[in-house]
Amino acid sequence: MENIKDYVEENKERFINELIELLKIPSVSADSAYAHDVISTAEAVKFSLEKAGCDFVELCETPGYPIVYAEKIIDKNLPTVLVYGHYDVQPADPIDLWTSPPFEPVIKTTDIHPEGAIFARGACDDKGQMYMHVKAFEYMIATNTLPCNVKFMIEGEEEVGSKSLSWFVERNHEKLANDVILISDTGMISNTQPSITTGLRGLSYVEVEVTGPNRDLHSGLYGGAVANPINILTKMIASLHDENNHITIPGFYDKVEELSDAERAEMAKAPFSLENYKKALDIDDVYGEKDYVTNERNSIRPTLDVNGIWGGYTGEGAKTVIASKAYAKISMRLVPNQDWEEITALFKKHFESIAPKSVKVVVKPHHGGQGYVTPIDSVGYRAANKAYTETFGVPAIPVRSGGSIPIVALFEKELKSKTILMGFGLDSDAIHSPNEHFGVFNYLKGIETIPLFYKYFTEMNK
Amino acid sequence: MENIKDYVEENKERFINELIELLKIPSVSADSAYAHDVISTAEAVKFSLEKAGCDFVELCETPGYPIVYAEKIIDKNLPTVLVYGHYDVQPADPIDLWTSPPFEPVIKTTDIHPEGAIFARGACDDKGQMYMHVKAFEYMIATNTLPCNVKFMIEGEEEVGSKSLSWFVERNHEKLANDVILISDTGMISNTQPSITTGLRGLSYVEVEVTGPNRDLHSGLYGGAVANPINILTKMIASLHDENNHITIPGFYDKVEELSDAERAEMAKAPFSLENYKKALDIDDVYGEKDYVTNERNSIRPTLDVNGIWGGYTGEGAKTVIASKAYAKISMRLVPNQDWEEITALFKKHFESIAPKSVKVVVKPHHGGQGYVTPIDSVGYRAANKAYTETFGVPAIPVRSGGSIPIVALFEKELKSKTILMGFGLDSDAIHSPNEHFGVFNYLKGIETIPLFYKYFTEMNK
């Protein structure tokens, strides 16, 4: 059988060019202006799976964007791996901060990526990491080395809450039946130190609207006499954290699991340089919850961040106006055991309760998802770790991620199977930011590592 | 001599149509996209003054938009009235709240304006009120009843701080020499109760920028670990008012004049219904500084209002991002004796001092102006009061306005003359808001009243 290293070496130009073509389609699920491009991307993914050798591929209609489903069943008695990924991407704005257009992929070298990185929205999250699985599958088919059954489920609404995916999964238990779910939509510590994400934070995302007077007012004639919705909104948001940066919403921490000193000591072993962290972000100091360190604040602790705020005159020059309305988008990252719907309700109740009588407040829940923790002694985890160890030369470290993949908890509930998060991205890849990129090394290393997971997972199941 | 009432009656259609033509030009000084329209408006005003009978008219170049200067000198020994007004307007946004396009004037009747009101940006502030003076002058020339000399100075940057006007006034003391300055850029209590504005608030307008990380970040990977500039900005702004809605900037109130109980009792006599006030704005409660009533909060007390705020993702849907930067436009209304430049410096010093080490803050002063109080025993005030009394049947009430006309204080300093604020607008005219309008009654009543001011001012000066 041909060696995967050689196969990647021979085909890497094509692998990169195929990904670049996929990245050119602006599949922004949050903005309906891109609806047509999101669909085109789904069709492109479907085509790539057919070409790679799946014997059944379809675009499954949903209440929202279609889900690409594909499968290759070689023997009902062999284990089945379900690969999940998403073909939609985050909005690209602020556009003007991109050094090259977000949907015109280019390869540039960086300090961390001397072999070059592909710069484009979605390069890492998640088109690049999802496409590694398509190419790894292509290899196993081409060399007749696929050791088990495989199913692909690639969705188009991950960046907006995966509503349609839940709808789809609930209705297709049989079709999606599997022994393990494999996802590459997370990161690893560095290109010399692989890691496997064992915990994810949940999410509650809301939008708030504060209304003062029924029309914009002249700030001279009315200033000081009526509630300014922007001033009120800032007061309300500011009050959501106390002086220790604890969140003040009653009941918010009730179900938060407190880690033991031993567990915290274990976490503290992961390589981390506060100086490099601050330098990379160009900040003089970090900022967060009292009594916790940076690596705890962004992984095992819940948070509340304003993701967007707007109101009044934001154009050029000056306008002396008191706006009628002010708005904010606010998201809370949750830890395992915090129920996102319960937290959303607590936020709504509290936020409405702190509004002064002089304004009207509306809280609109956007979407959310549960947190998740996976054991490190499962067959899937051990197979993944063995694969990483072989391609990187060192075993992977288990880490808790601060991010959310809302559907991981859903999979466990609906499909009763564990998810393995084999991420190949880096924190510095700027996902959700201008100049998102994915290292060529990481992309090819992923393609090289994934078939080994199939191999060991199948062997360990014998 | 033909009676002014008859003259207005005969020419009112033309008066209204001429104003409508002027209102069609979007002379938004705050937005450079309208630069060409601002210039066209200056030329239209120049033309109207020539046509009305000035014997010298010119567009005076400045570092910014031109100032329209015109004069009619009939006798060096007679007093000279300097009329000031502005031809620029506020931005029209939010456009979607206008019931008819802001620059396509239409006449509609309202409860307060049964004879109809002209709806357009600038209808009242200040094209409509400025143009009353052009038409009143036309009448005096046409009927050969101009009793004194008159000079016009109409600027194009009032809505953005009148920078070029200060530059112009400082350089043209001789040219602008006058015995009284007459301005219609304020309001009156109602169409049955005229009033003369005797006090104006000063203004300090700043823009603030808070920078956290050097790029937008994924709120899952970084949330809770780095300072979110939007959360920080809300905390900083919220801290600018204490629980009694006093402004917390050290030294802010040092020079604020406290009115005597007698003066406050006098103010309280002005007709005012809190119920109607709340009903008109559709608010359940007013909001402001403890121990002061609404009519004091918006006139004799200084204020701090956010006029605009923005940062992060403000588009459709959800984006889980921590923005790199957050911004706000903040203005402070000042009372007489508070120096706007000193207050701006105090704000800057304080705002920078409350920023946590984890963010960088920039405070950019926009513009400002001093407050002003005028005596009610001056010849100008008495002449204006007599004119109002004759056309409205009741004497005018002196009132303090919360608005700012930054250049009034400048005029007194540079030209050593008093300003009379003969306003004919109403608070309900929605200046600076969508659906700004100016009553046809008010427009024509102004044209009718102004010549009487010239008459009595000249007589009282004999």
Side-chain angles (χ1 to χ4, degrees), chain A residues 201 216 220 307 317 321 329 433, chain B residues 201 216 220 307 317 321 329 433:
Chain A
R201 289 196 286 189
D216 287 4
N307 302 110
V321 67
K329 293 176 193 274
S433 305
Chain B
R201 289 197 285 190
D216 287 4
N307 303 110
V321 67
K329 293 176 193 273
S433 305

Side-chain angles (χ1 to χ4, degrees), chain A residues 14-289:
Chain A
R14 176 171 59 83
F15 288 172
I16 291 166
N17 292 332
E18 285 177 17
L19 175 55
I20 283 175
E21 287 311 306
L22 197 60
L23 291 168
K24 286 180 180 173
I25 320 174
S27 50
V28 179
S29 51
D31 186 344
S32 51
Y34 295 97
H36 182 78
D37 300 300
V38 180
I39 306 285
S40 309
T41 311
E43 285 158 352
V45 172
K46 173 173 180 284
F47 177 71
S48 70
L49 284 162
E50 281 162 353
K51 206 142 162 291
C54 288
D55 45 29
F56 175 71
V57 186
E58 65 176 335
L59 280 193
C60 304
E61 290 311 315
T62 73
Y65 287 118
I67 285 164
V68 185
Y69 176 82
E71 63 181 34
K72 177 78 179 179
I73 307 299
I74 57 173
D75 179 346
K76 292 248 173 297
N77 303 315
L78 287 169
T80 298
V81 175
L82 174 63
V83 175
Y84 164 85
H86 63 93
Y87 61 82
D88 63 321
V89 301
Q90 279 276 317
D93 51 288
I95 294 282
D96 53 328
L97 294 185
W98 285 75
T99 54
S100 59
F103 299 107
E104 296 172 24
V106 287
I107 297 179
K108 296 181 247 184
T109 59
T110 73
D111 299 351
I112 296 174
H113 297 295
E115 303 92 341
I118 303 166
F119 281 73
R121 166 60 78 229
C124 176
D125 176 18
D126 180 47
K127 284 176 176 170
Q129 295 213 73
M130 174 270 290
Y131 205 67
M132 296 182 310
H133 289 270
V134 180
K135 295 296 100 180
F137 175 74
E138 172 197 306
Y139 159 76
M140 291 184 282
I141 295 297
T143 57
N144 193 26
T145 54
L146 179 66
C148 60
N149 306 309
V150 56
K151 297 175 177 177
F152 290 90
M153 173 170 59
I154 315 299
E155 72 152 317
E157 296 178 13
E158 197 274 342
E159 300 296 0
V160 290
S162 302
K163 272 212 182 56
S164 299
L165 185 75
S166 332
W167 179 92
F168 179 74
V169 170
E170 287 157 11
R171 286 164 180 69
N172 293 280
H173 290 183
E174 188 120 349
K175 176 183 210 145
L176 301 173
N178 66 80
D179 298 281
V180 70
I181 295 165
L182 187 60
I183 304 180
S184 296
D185 195 18
T186 49
M188 56 183 184
I189 291 172
S190 77
N191 283 356
T192 56
Q193 179 54 70
S195 53
I196 298 170
T197 302
T198 55
L200 291 166
R201 289 196 286 189
L203 178 74
S204 167
Y205 200 110
V206 301
E207 187 162 321
V208 300
E209 172 190 297
V210 175
T211 305
N214 53 4
R215 58 184 169 91
D216 287 4
L217 300 175
H218 185 294
S219 70
L221 303 183
Y222 292 89
V226 300
N228 177 327
I230 302 177
N231 288 74
I232 298 292
L233 178 61
T234 62
K235 263 197 190 309
M236 293 172 72
I237 291 172
S239 77
L240 297 176
H241 289 90
D242 67 16
E243 65 284 3
N244 295 323
N245 277 308
H246 290 301
I247 293 155
T248 58
I249 299 166
F252 186 83
Y253 291 100
D254 287 0
K255 297 184 177 169
V256 170
E257 125 207 80
E258 291 291 339
L259 269 66
S260 68
D261 294 351
E263 289 172 296
R264 293 177 68 178
E266 193 51 41
M267 279 189 71
K269 289 185 184 154
F272 177 74
S273 157
L274 187 58
E275 275 324 298
N276 294 347
Y277 187 84
K278 290 193 288 186
K279 201 152 146 280
L281 300 175
D282 188 19
I283 52 177
D284 294 334
D285 200 1
V286 291
Y287 186 88
E289 189 178 7

Side-chain angles (χ1 to χ4, degrees), chain B residues 424-436:
Chain B
F424 292 89
L426 299 178
D427 274 5
S428 55
D429 288 345
I431 67 173
H432 291 212
S433 305
N435 307 311
E436 174 180 355

Side-chain angles (χ1 to χ4, degrees), chain B residues 194 196 380-396 422 424 445-446 448-457 460:
Chain B
I196 297 171
Y381 185 90
R382 288 185 286 117
N385 193 17
K386 193 164 179 196
Y388 275 116
T389 309
E390 188 165 329
T391 50
F392 283 83
V394 290
M422 286 183 79
F424 292 89
K445 205 69 170 175
E448 182 187 328
T449 307
I450 291 163
L452 293 168
F453 169 82
Y454 282 75
K455 177 163 177 279
Y456 297 127
F457 183 75
M460 293 177 182

Side-chain angles (χ1 to χ4, degrees), chain B residues 73-372:
Chain B
I73 307 300
I74 57 173
D75 179 345
K76 293 251 171 295
N77 303 317
L78 286 168
T80 298
V81 175
L82 173 63
V83 175
Y84 163 85
H86 63 94
Y87 62 81
D88 63 320
V89 300
Q90 278 276 316
D93 49 289
I95 295 281
D96 53 327
L97 295 186
W98 285 76
T99 54
S100 58
F103 299 107
E104 296 172 23
V106 288
I107 297 180
K108 298 181 244 183
T109 60
T110 73
D111 299 352
I112 297 173
H113 296 295
E115 302 91 340
I118 304 166
F119 281 73
R121 167 59 80 227
C124 175
D125 177 17
D126 179 49
K127 283 175 176 170
Q129 296 213 72
M130 174 271 290
Y131 206 68
M132 298 183 309
H133 289 270
V134 181
K135 296 296 100 179
F137 173 73
E138 171 198 307
Y139 159 75
M140 292 184 283
I141 295 298
T143 56
N144 194 28
T145 55
L146 179 67
C148 61
N149 306 308
V150 57
K151 297 174 176 177
F152 290 90
M153 173 171 58
I154 315 298
E155 72 152 315
E157 297 177 13
E158 198 273 341
E159 301 294 2
V160 290
S162 302
K163 271 210 185 58
S164 299
L165 184 75
S166 333
W167 178 92
F168 179 75
V169 170
E170 287 157 12
R171 285 161 181 72
N172 292 279
H173 290 182
E174 187 115 351
K175 177 183 213 151
L176 302 172
N178 66 80
D179 298 283
V180 72
I181 295 165
L182 187 60
I183 304 180
S184 296
D185 195 19
T186 50
M188 56 181 186
I189 292 173
S190 76
N191 282 356
T192 55
Q193 179 54 70
S195 54
I196 297 171
T197 303
T198 56
L200 291 166
R201 289 197 285 190
L203 178 73
S204 168
Y205 199 110
V206 302
E207 188 163 319
V208 300
E209 173 190 296
V210 175
T211 304
N214 53 3
R215 58 183 170 91
D216 287 4
L217 300 175
H218 185 293
S219 70
L221 303 183
Y222 292 88
V226 300
N228 177 327
I230 302 177
N231 288 72
I232 298 292
L233 178 61
T234 62
K235 262 198 189 312
M236 292 172 73
I237 291 172
S239 77
L240 297 176
H241 289 91
D242 67 15
E243 65 283 4
N244 296 321
N245 277 307
H246 290 299
I247 293 157
T248 57
I249 299 167
F252 185 83
Y253 290 99
D254 287 1
K255 297 184 177 171
V256 170
E257 126 207 80
E258 292 290 339
L259 268 67
S260 68
D261 295 351
E263 290 172 295
R264 293 176 69 177
E266 191 53 42
M267 280 188 72
K269 288 183 185 158
F272 176 74
S273 157
L274 187 58
E275 274 326 297
N276 295 346
Y277 186 84
K278 290 193 286 186
K279 199 152 150 278
L281 300 175
D282 188 20
I283 52 177
D284 295 334
D285 200 359
V286 290
Y287 186 88
E289 190 178 7
K290 193 161 174 287
D291 303 330
Y292 293 91
V293 298
T294 296
N295 278 343
E296 295 173 326
R297 288 167 170 173
N298 64 17
S299 63
I300 61 169
R301 298 298 296 172
T303 64
L304 185 153
D305 273 298
V306 181
N307 303 110
I309 191 166
W310 68 103
Y313 183 66
T314 60
E316 188 190 348
K319 185 169 187 235
T320 50
V321 67
I322 293 177
S324 170
K325 290 172 181 289
Y327 306 83
K329 293 176 193 273
I330 299 174
S331 67
M332 290 158 281
R333 296 286 170 171
L334 311 175
V335 296
N337 304 338
Q338 281 184 299
D339 177 77
W340 79 268
E341 278 163 324
E342 185 183 341
I343 293 293
T344 303
L346 288 176
F347 176 94
K348 189 176 194 307
K349 182 162 174 284
H350 176 67
F351 203 74
E352 288 167 350
S353 75
I354 59 176
K357 192 164 158 251
S358 45
V359 299
K360 296 170 190 67
V361 169
V362 178
V363 176
K364 248 195 287 119
H366 251 298
H367 66 274
Q370 310 294 19
Y372 180 77

Side-chain angles (χ1 to χ4, degrees), chain B residues 5-69:
Chain B
K5 273 192 158 46
D6 303 340
Y7 189 85
V8 169
E9 188 55 37
E10 287 159 22
N11 298 281
K12 63 183 181 191
E13 294 309 324
R14 176 172 59 86
F15 289 173
I16 291 167
N17 292 332
E18 286 177 17
L19 174 56
I20 283 176
E21 287 311 307
L22 197 60
L23 291 169
K24 286 179 181 173
I25 320 175
S27 50
V28 180
S29 51
D31 187 343
S32 51
Y34 295 97
H36 182 79
D37 300 300
V38 180
I39 305 286
S40 310
T41 311
E43 284 159 352
V45 172
K46 174 173 179 282
F47 176 72
S48 70
L49 285 162
E50 282 163 352
K51 205 141 163 288
C54 288
D55 44 32
F56 176 70
V57 187
E58 64 176 334
L59 281 193
C60 305
E61 289 313 314
T62 74
Y65 287 121
I67 286 163
V68 185
Y69 175 82

